[in-house]
Amino acid sequence: DDGLNDAFTIYAKDPNIKIKDLRIFNRWGDLMWSKTNFPCCDEMQGWDGSFKGQKLNPGVYVYYAIVETPAGKQYVLKGDITLLH
């Protein structure tokens, strides 16, 4: 909550990249957050580290995203996020 890295989203050099689907899972594979059809590079649209309004425990979470270029080409991105407080 210091205004730096307070949310996770996808960043791209081209601000016209669209995030078709972004999902966050815990280490057991439970879905913690998801959002569809929003612009990249906008932290306010991203995941804030909470589940149902409650801050989650620090740990490693997995993300899965589908992004789309202005030309309509789609890419799958996946990896992990370390949540700290």
Side-chain angles (χ1 to χ4, degrees):
D1 294 324
D2 62 0
L4 301 171
N5 296 318
D6 287 343
F8 173 79
T9 193
I10 304 296
Y11 287 90
K13 290 180 183 178
D14 182 348
N16 297 310
I17 298 289
K18 184 175 190 176
I19 301 170
K20 299 293 289 178
D21 187 23
L22 177 57
R23 300 177 196 181
I24 309 294
F25 300 91
N26 66 13
R27 63 180 155 183
W28 297 281
D30 299 320
L31 182 65
M32 299 287 99
W33 183 86
S34 69
K35 189 168 187 173
T36 59
N37 297 314
F38 63 103
C40 74
C41 309
D42 184 356
E43 198 173 285
M44 297 300 292
Q45 302 258 353
W47 178 55
D48 67 358
S50 67
F51 177 68
K52 295 184 178 181
Q54 300 293 317
K55 284 186 177 183
L56 289 169
N57 290 329
V60 177
Y61 295 82
V62 174
Y63 71 88
Y64 174 87
I66 300 172
V67 298
E68 184 175 84
T69 68
K73 186 162 182 165
Q74 292 189 353
Y75 295 91
V76 173
L77 308 172
K78 48 190 169 180
D80 58 79
I81 310 158
T82 301
L83 181 64
L84 306 171
H85 290 295

